[in-house]
Amino acid sequence: MKNKVRFFQSVNFKIAFSFILILLISIEIIGAYFIRGLEKETINNFTKDMNQRVSILANTLGTTMQEADSGAEGIQRLLENNRASDIQEMLVVDDKGIVLATNDVGRKDAIVGKKNEYNDIDDFSMKQYVALDDNNKRVYINIQPIQSPTGDSAVIGALYVRSDIEQKYTEISNTAIIFFTASLIAGIISMIVALLVARSITKPIEEMRQQAIKIAQGDYSDKVEIHGHDELSQLAETFNKLSDRIEDAQDTMEAERNRLDSVLTHMTDGVIATDRRGKVITINEMAISLLDVKNEDAIGESILTLLDLEEEYTLRKLLEAQEELLLDRSKSDLEEDRMILRADFAMIRRESGFISGLVVVLHDVTEQEKTAEERRQFVSNVSHELRTPLTSVRSYLEALDEGAWQDEEVAPGFIQVTLGETDRMIRMINDLLNLSRMDSGNQQMDLEFVNFNELVDYVLDRFDMMVTNQEKKYTIVRDFTERDLWVEIDTDKIMQVIDNIMNNAIKYSPDGGKITVHLLETHNNVVLSITDEGLGIPKKDLDKVFERFYRVDRARARKQGGTGLGLAISKEVIKAHKGYIWVESVEGKGSTFSFSLPYEPYEEDWWE
C-alpha cells in the first residue's frame, strides 16, 4: 500500500490552490494594469505641470532680466518667490554662462557671479529628462531658454530647474503595496473558503479511494457510504455495484487461474505467453527447465531474446510467419549436452481481432532429431557402401558381356573380383540384419559359463596360425591373469567381437608390429584390452569409431576391406552382455580397444 497522501499533494489543496491561483492571477493582471496606468498618469501630470511652471517662470525671468533697475536682486527675489516642496534646485544663467541667481541659499555665495558648471546649459537649448542624483534617486531636469521679450526671440539666458520626481514614484509604490496587501488578505480568505468547499467534494472521493484499496487487497466486505442525492452520491452507488461485480468476477478468475496453473504445471511441454510487445508474462516450470533460465529473469524479457532469435526475426515477422522453429539449445558439442527444441507459435486474438500477445509451446525433440539424423546418415552410408561394390560388379560383368569371358587370362580374375565384391555385400547385409535384430531386441543370446582365458587363447591361436599366410607380419603378445576367469557369455558373439578388434589391429598395424592382449579382472568385471602400434585415432574421432559405417580414413579403410560395421556390432554385443566397450589412442603411436564384462568371482569348492 502506498504512503498517505500529503496535504500539498491532495485534491483538496489542488482545487483550493487552483482557485486561488486563478483569483490571484486575475487580481495581479488587473493590479498591474491599474498601477501601470496610475504611474503613467501621475508622471505625465507631474512633468506637464512642472514644464508649465518652468515655462511661466522663464518668461517672467526674461522680462525681469530686461529691466535695468531690477538687476540680480530682482532675479534672486523671483526664484525665492517660486520655491516649492517638489523643486530641489533652480538656477538662472545669462547668455555668457554666468550664474545670476539660485534658490539654494547655502550655495548662493559660492556659485552666483561665477561660470556655470552644468554642461547641459551651455547650448541654451530646451531639455527635459529624468536622471539620477548623487543619492541615486530620480530627479526631473528641466532646462528652459530665457528669451528677450522684445520680440526678436534672442536667447538672453537659461533657467535650470531640478525637481523631485522620486516622491511620485514612491507614492505609486505605496499604492501598489496597499493593493497587493489587500489582494493577499483576500487570497487567504478565499483559500480557506475554497478548502472547505473542496473538502465537501473530495471526502466522498476519499471514501471511494479507501474502498478501492480494500478491493485491490481482496476485501469486498465494506461499502461506500452514500451522502445526499447529488452526482457524487450516484457515483458512490455505482461504485458499490461495481464492487459486487468485481467480487464475482474475481472468484471466477481465481478458479480459472488455479485450473490453468495446474494444467501448465503438469504439462510435459514448455509454455510461454507474451503481451503484444513480445514481453514474457507467463512461463511454466517445464519451459524454465528447457531454457535453463530463472523465472524472475524470464518474466518481462523479450521472447526474441529469450529464444535467441533477435538476429533472424523481428516480432512482426514472427507473428506473420507463425511457423514451427527448431531451436538449438546445446551447451556444447558433446552428445550429452545436446538439446534441440521445437517451438510452435500461436497468436492470442481478442474477439475484435486485435492481437494481444503470443503463445509459444516448446517440445524437446532432441531424441527425435538424433534418431532422424542417424536414420538419414544410416541410409546415406548404406547407399554409399552398397553402390561401390555394385558399381565394381557391374563394370566387370559388362566387360565379361562384351567378350572378356573368352579371354582365359582375364576372365578368371574378373570373376574372382565379382565374387569378392558379392561376398562383401552379403557380409554387409548380414551385419545389417544382425544390427537390426539387436536394435529390435529380437537377438537371441545363447549364454553359458566358459573359461574366458581359454576362449581368448583359442581365438588368438587362430590369428597366430594366420600370420604365415599373410604378407604383413605381426607378433601377438599375451598378458593374462593367472587365475581362471569363468564368465557367462554367448561364446560365438564374444568371439566375433574379439575377431573384429583383432582384425582392425592387424589391418592398421605396421609390418612387423606387435599386438599386445591384456586380460585381467577387477572387482566386478573382466577386462580384455588389445593394443596395436598403428597410426592411432585422432582425438576428435574417438567418440565416433563405434558408429555405423564410420571410418577415420575412408580411403584406406575401403582399401583394407570390411563393411564398416564391425565395431558397431561389437558395441551392441557387449551392450547386450551388460558390459562396456571403449577405445584409447595416441595419434601416431597406436590404439587400445578394451571391453569389460560382468564377472562374479567364485571359490573352487563352489563347483564341487
Side-chain angles (χ1 to χ4, degrees):
M1 181 179 175
K2 294 184 179 180
N3 295 330
K4 185 178 180 180
V5 178
R6 297 179 181 178
F7 172 74
F8 294 105
Q9 297 174 329
S10 66
V11 176
N12 282 340
F13 175 77
K14 291 178 180 178
I15 293 176
F17 181 75
S18 300
F19 176 76
I20 297 306
L21 189 61
I22 294 172
L23 178 62
L24 289 179
I25 290 174
S26 302
I27 293 175
E28 294 306 315
I29 292 175
I30 296 172
Y33 181 78
F34 170 74
I35 296 300
R36 180 62 178 169
L38 178 63
E39 178 184 346
K40 183 177 180 181
E41 184 68 20
T42 301
I43 298 302
N44 286 341
N45 290 337
F46 178 83
T47 57
K48 183 178 179 180
D49 178 67
M50 188 58 64
N51 291 337
Q52 290 178 351
R53 290 161 61 186
V54 171
S55 178
I56 294 171
L57 180 60
N59 291 332
T60 304
L61 285 170
T63 303
T64 303
M65 290 173 67
Q66 285 293 324
E67 295 176 356
D69 56 348
S70 297
E73 294 181 0
I75 297 172
Q76 183 68 39
R77 192 183 313 110
L78 187 60
L79 290 184
E80 291 177 357
N81 292 335
N82 282 277
R83 285 180 181 178
S85 62
D86 53 355
I87 295 178
Q88 295 180 346
E89 182 181 8
M90 288 188 294
L91 199 70
V92 178
V93 180
D94 64 10
D95 57 353
K96 296 181 178 58
I98 303 301
V99 178
L100 299 178
T102 179
N103 69 332
D104 189 352
V105 179
R107 295 178 62 204
K108 179 179 178 181
D109 296 336
I111 64 175
V112 173
K114 296 182 180 180
K115 186 70 175 177
N116 164 50
E117 297 178 355
Y118 293 113
N119 295 329
D120 289 349
I121 308 177
D122 291 345
D123 57 359
F124 298 98
S125 61
M126 181 183 294
K127 296 177 184 178
Q128 298 167 349
Y129 60 91
V130 177
L132 295 176
D133 62 8
D134 295 338
N135 296 323
N136 205 29
K137 292 185 178 181
R138 283 168 289 197
V139 293
Y140 182 65
I141 305 297
N142 193 319
I143 300 175
Q144 186 74 28
I146 301 173
Q147 296 178 344
S148 174
T150 59
D152 55 2
S153 299
V155 176
I156 59 176
L159 172 63
Y160 173 88
V161 178
R162 185 179 71 223
S163 56
D164 183 11
I165 199 172
E166 182 70 30
Q167 62 178 343
K168 299 299 179 181
Y169 284 101
T170 302
E171 292 173 2
I172 296 170
S173 298
N174 292 336
T175 303
I177 292 173
I178 293 171
F179 179 85
F180 288 120
T181 302
S183 300
L184 181 61
I185 295 172
I188 294 173
I189 296 173
S190 300
M191 173 72 80
I192 296 173
V193 174
L195 286 173
L196 295 175
V197 175
R199 178 61 180 169
S200 65
I201 297 174
T202 57
K203 182 178 180 181
I205 297 176
E206 174 64 19
E207 292 177 357
M208 284 185 277
R209 188 186 74 86
Q210 295 294 337
Q211 179 61 17
I213 294 174
K214 292 181 180 179
I215 291 175
Q217 296 173 345
D219 182 4
Y220 303 93
S221 58
D222 292 341
K223 300 296 180 183
V224 178
E225 187 176 353
I226 300 174
H227 303 279
H229 301 283
D230 57 6
E231 290 85 351
L232 289 175
S233 300
Q234 294 176 357
L235 177 61
E237 184 177 356
T238 304
F239 190 88
N240 289 334
K241 293 180 180 179
L242 179 63
S243 175
D244 294 335
R245 295 290 297 274
I246 292 176
E247 183 176 9
D248 295 338
Q250 185 68 24
D251 292 341
T252 303
M253 289 177 60
E254 190 66 28
E256 291 296 328
R257 185 183 295 110
N258 292 336
R259 187 180 299 110
L260 178 61
D261 289 343
S262 178
V263 171
L264 291 177
T265 301
H266 294 89
M267 284 185 67
T268 57
D269 293 327
V271 178
I272 305 172
T274 74
D275 59 18
R276 62 186 302 269
R277 295 180 177 81
K279 303 296 184 182
V280 176
I281 56 176
T282 301
I283 182 170
N284 70 346
E285 292 296 331
M286 182 54 68
I288 291 174
S289 175
L290 291 175
L291 298 176
D292 191 22
V293 297
K294 295 181 180 180
N295 184 75
E296 56 270 22
D297 295 335
I299 298 298
E301 184 65 85
S302 169
I303 189 67
L304 298 175
T305 303
L306 191 63
L307 300 181
D308 295 331
L309 298 175
E310 304 104 315
E311 296 182 1
E312 301 178 26
Y313 289 89
T314 62
L315 184 61
R316 183 180 183 86
K317 184 178 179 181
L318 198 63
L319 289 172
E320 291 175 350
Q322 294 189 61
E323 60 184 7
E324 173 188 295
L325 297 179
L326 289 181
L327 309 176
D328 189 350
R329 304 290 294 189
S330 303
K331 297 179 181 178
S332 67
D333 295 334
L334 299 177
E335 192 67 30
E336 58 269 20
D337 291 335
R338 188 182 182 195
M339 176 178 286
I340 305 296
L341 302 178
R342 187 181 77 232
D344 297 306
F345 297 87
M347 289 187 293
I348 304 174
R349 291 181 180 270
R350 298 178 183 174
E351 293 181 359
S352 61
F354 179 78
I355 299 174
S356 60
L358 189 69
V359 171
V360 185
V361 180
L362 302 176
H363 311 268
D364 187 353
V365 294
T366 306
E367 291 302 321
Q368 294 93 313
E369 286 297 311
K370 179 181 177 182
T371 302
E373 178 63 26
E374 289 177 349
R375 186 182 298 111
R376 289 191 293 269
Q377 188 66 34
F378 178 74
V379 172
S380 174
N381 288 333
V382 170
S383 301
H384 182 76
E385 294 295 335
L386 288 177
R387 181 176 58 189
T388 302
L390 281 173
T391 301
S392 179
V393 168
R394 180 182 176 84
S395 298
Y396 283 105
L397 288 178
E398 287 177 347
L400 291 172
D401 182 58
E402 292 173 357
W405 63 273
Q406 297 177 349
D407 190 335
E408 296 181 355
E409 294 182 0
V410 175
F414 282 11
I415 293 173
Q416 288 299 320
V417 172
T418 303
L419 290 174
E421 292 296 329
T422 304
D423 289 340
R424 178 183 169 191
M425 286 188 288
I426 291 173
R427 289 195 305 272
M428 184 185 303
I429 291 172
N430 287 334
D431 288 344
L432 289 173
L433 290 174
N434 287 334
L435 282 172
S436 177
R437 282 193 290 268
M438 292 178 186
D439 289 340
S440 62
N442 295 328
Q443 183 74 13
Q444 298 295 325
M445 300 285 289
D446 187 11
L447 299 176
E448 60 178 335
F449 275 101
V450 298
N451 188 319
F452 200 67
N453 309 57
E454 294 180 358
L455 176 65
V456 176
D457 225 6
Y458 170 75
V459 176
L460 296 182
D461 286 343
R462 288 196 292 109
F463 282 97
D464 280 335
M465 296 177 61
M466 291 167 55
V467 71
T468 56
N469 300 324
Q470 293 188 5
E471 296 181 1
K472 182 186 290 187
K473 304 301 179 183
Y474 55 87
T475 303
I476 299 176
V477 179
R478 294 169 171 82
D479 182 14
F480 293 0
T481 179
E482 296 181 357
R483 182 175 181 177
D484 289 338
L485 306 175
W486 290 83
V487 186
E488 187 177 20
I489 58 174
D490 185 320
T491 305
D492 292 337
K493 289 183 172 55
I494 294 299
M495 288 178 63
Q496 183 182 9
V497 172
I498 300 173
D499 280 344
N500 287 336
I501 298 175
M502 283 297 298
N503 280 323
N504 284 339
I506 293 170
K507 286 178 185 178
Y508 297 106
S509 288
D511 190 24
K514 180 174 65 174
I515 299 173
T516 305
V517 181
H518 299 273
L519 177 62
L520 55 93
E521 62 172 314
T522 63
H523 180 62
N524 291 316
N525 293 279
V526 170
V527 180
L528 178 67
S529 300
I530 300 175
T531 303
D532 62 54
E533 297 177 341
L535 297 176
I537 303 170
K539 187 175 181 180
K540 63 183 180 62
D541 295 313
L542 286 176
D543 295 335
K544 302 177 181 179
V545 295
F546 294 103
E547 295 180 5
R548 301 170 189 188
F549 294 110
Y550 185 82
R551 293 185 174 97
V552 176
D553 186 346
R554 289 185 177 274
R556 184 182 179 195
R558 188 170 287 110
K559 182 178 179 181
Q560 296 286 353
T563 64
L565 297 171
L567 290 178
I569 292 175
S570 300
K571 179 181 177 180
E572 295 300 328
V573 169
I574 298 301
K575 184 178 177 181
H577 282 80
K578 295 181 174 56
Y580 183 67
I581 187 169
W582 68 96
V583 61
E584 298 172 345
S585 181
V586 178
E587 194 170 2
K589 294 185 178 181
S591 305
T592 299
F593 282 85
S594 307
F595 66 84
S596 63
L597 296 172
Y599 168 66
E600 185 176 347
Y602 67 92
E603 300 296 335
E604 292 294 336
D605 58 358
W606 183 81
W607 288 97
E608 299 176 0

